[in-house]
Amino acid sequence: MTQSKPVLLSVRNLKRHFDVGKGKTLKAVDGLSFDVYQGETFGLVGESGCGKSTAGRTILGLYNNTDGEVLFEGQDIHQMTDKERKTFLKKMQMVFQDPYASLNPRSTVYEIIAEPMEIHGMYKNKKDLRNRVNELLEDVGLNRDHANRYPHEFSGGQRQRIGIARALALDPDFIIADEPISALDVSVQAQVVKLFQRLQREKGLTYLFIAHDLSMVKYISDRIGVMYLGHLVELTTSDQLYKKPLHPYTEALLSAIPIPDPDIEEARERILLEGELPSPIDPPSGCVFRTRCPYAMGVCAERTPRWLEKDEGHFVACHLHDEEIMQEAGVRAEPAAVR
Ligand SMILES: Nc1ncnc2c1ncn2[C@@H]1O[C@H](COP(=O)(O)OP(=O)(O)OP(=O)(O)O)[C@@H](O)[C@H]1O
Ligand SMILES: [Mg+2]
């Protein structure tokens, strides 16, 4: 069970707000709490603009936090000295969504992969550094002949492999992969996912894997956190999320995934979300999802849902699952009956 593994990363009430002028604040990340266990893949899912990349960047310390904590191996990464931060950055690395924009077009593949090791002064000897770059290229399914070429000479999938090799250069324990496959052709996506899985097995890596839909992430994640407008709305194992989603937003995300069996596909109910994602500058009161929720009740506009553990390790923030709220509203908290 993943649950018995040690916690590597602990995110506690993390907030990252942006000042957007005219006295307005954009709450991109507004109170995230979750743990990532050593060796697991934690998927962070939600539609465009819900704050996934901001969360990833704040967890890595590329952005300051507005509030809350990010504890890596128990140490708050936003309170580190420069020296501690340098050591931390060897352990946590990021792979970015866009393999075109994230590689310097004027550097050779060798220079791109060697750079982090040069910054950290890891190899005094040029030959050792060259050997290490070759080894990394092979680790990601490229070869040493690729080292002297430039990023534009590669396909999207190959460029993402270069980005992964660079992220691996410092031999990290933890990788934040921010939509690493969504810019790639569908045929290439599965190959890159397999690469992530193989590297995890070989190197004992822990992943925070960010994605905007559940189709691929549910196969590779041990647990998944579903985000909506800067908040987590549900968190559980991939299996449980798929079999027994509790939050209406999770149901909607799941119903957007095509099922290969035509009979099931035909029979099942699709939940289409109406309306646009509200602005994080002026989020809805109470439950942020209520403006698009097919089950919204009066109380949803008035009170912020509590983060409830409904089954062991299965968390949800929804009044439909809060017995106290439902009793007050005169209904028993049995969402199956509500639906
Ligand atoms: N530097 C910034 N300054 C102001 N607002 C920002 C900044 N970065 C992100 N935002 C806003 O924060 C919100 C969350 O953005 P973010 O990029 O984290 O979302 P996302 O979930 O990664 O979306 P996508 O799936 O499109 O990558 C958006 O409303 C975005 O416009
Ligand atoms: Mg993003």
Side-chain angles (χ1 to χ4, degrees):
M1 283 292 283
T2 30
Q3 273 77 353
S4 60
K5 289 183 181 169
V7 172
L8 187 57
L9 175 79
S10 198
V11 175
R12 290 280 160 268
N13 191 32
L14 186 67
K15 296 187 185 181
R16 171 65 217 206
H17 297 173
F18 294 107
D19 182 352
V20 286
K22 296 185 184 153
K24 287 189 186 286
T25 304
L26 186 150
K27 297 174 180 173
V29 171
D30 202 27
L32 293 190
S33 297
F34 59 92
D35 290 334
V36 181
Y37 302 115
Q38 180 120 42
E40 79 167 331
T41 299
F42 186 97
L44 194 60
V45 175
E47 69 201 288
S48 185
C50 73
K52 305 177 298 292
S53 295
T54 304
R57 285 165 178 268
T58 312
I59 288 168
L60 190 59
L62 297 177
Y63 289 155
N64 290 329
N65 57 338
T66 305
D67 198 5
E69 290 176 334
V70 176
L71 305 172
F72 186 79
E73 294 175 330
Q75 198 184 5
D76 189 340
I77 71 114
H78 292 283
Q79 305 292 333
M80 285 177 174
T81 62
D82 288 350
K83 193 162 166 249
E84 286 168 338
R85 179 152 179 80
K86 208 171 166 191
T87 309
F88 163 70
L89 286 178
K90 277 189 179 176
K91 296 181 181 175
M92 193 189 275
Q93 287 285 314
M94 195 151 175
V95 173
F96 296 91
Q97 171 173 4
D98 187 345
Y100 299 86
S102 62
L103 303 176
N104 184 346
R106 278 181 287 277
S107 298
T108 62
V109 168
Y110 173 83
E111 287 162 347
I112 289 168
I113 299 173
E115 189 188 23
M117 295 185 280
E118 284 174 331
I119 291 171
H120 285 263
M122 282 171 68
Y123 293 93
K124 299 281 169 281
N125 181 324
K126 282 269 167 209
K127 195 165 158 241
D128 290 345
L129 182 58
R130 169 77 57 183
N131 285 340
R132 174 69 178 143
V133 171
N134 288 340
E135 197 179 276
L136 286 160
L137 284 170
E138 278 160 21
D139 277 349
V140 298
L142 297 171
N143 65 61
R144 58 187 60 198
D145 299 337
H146 290 125
N148 295 322
R149 301 203 205 153
Y150 291 86
H152 73 263
E153 299 177 54
F154 294 89
S155 67
Q158 286 175 319
R159 285 186 228 206
Q160 197 52 295
R161 288 173 193 268
I162 298 165
I164 294 168
R166 184 179 57 181
L168 291 173
L170 301 174
D171 201 15
D173 299 322
F174 193 109
I175 290 183
I176 299 180
D178 187 359
E179 304 209 39
I181 56 166
S182 51
L184 305 177
D185 290 347
V186 175
S187 58
V188 181
Q189 288 184 346
Q191 294 167 16
V192 175
V193 163
K194 285 206 181 94
L195 172 63
F196 271 103
Q197 289 176 315
R198 175 170 63 75
L199 292 169
Q200 181 168 49
R201 277 197 309 276
E202 289 174 1
K203 298 176 188 293
L205 290 162
T206 306
Y207 293 143
L208 177 68
F209 202 98
I210 296 173
H212 61 261
D213 71 67
L214 277 164
S215 52
M216 194 63 91
V217 90
K218 81 178 162 51
Y219 291 110
I220 71 155
S221 304
D222 296 291
R223 294 184 305 137
I224 296 177
V226 179
M227 254 185 106
Y228 186 83
L229 211 65
H231 296 258
L232 271 181
V233 297
E234 184 161 3
L235 190 173
T236 186
T237 60
S238 301
D239 278 354
Q240 190 70 358
L241 194 81
Y242 193 53
K243 283 190 209 132
K244 199 184 159 196
L246 295 177
H247 199 284
Y249 181 57
T250 313
E251 285 188 334
L253 285 183
L254 283 169
S255 85
I257 304 176
I259 295 177
D261 183 324
D263 293 334
I264 302 177
E265 180 68 29
E266 180 85 0
R268 78 195 178 121
E269 217 178 310
R270 279 198 182 274
I271 303 165
L272 289 177
L273 292 181
E274 288 178 15
E276 295 284 301
L277 189 67
S279 164
I281 298 174
D282 190 18
S285 63
C287 171
V288 287
F289 184 60
R290 70 171 166 86
T291 53
R292 297 169 79 194
C293 181
Y295 315 108
M297 310 171 285
V299 66
C300 303
E302 288 153 22
R303 286 165 66 172
T304 305
R306 297 188 289 173
W307 187 233
L308 298 167
E309 189 169 9
K310 290 301 287 181
D311 290 312
E312 200 190 335
H314 192 164
F315 296 86
V316 68
C318 175
H319 290 319
L320 287 170
H321 297 278
D322 189 329
E323 275 152 37
E324 274 178 37
I325 294 277
M326 295 307 276
Q327 265 162 22
E328 276 174 40
V331 202
R332 257 175 58 75
E334 274 181 73
V338 175
R339 282 155 216 192

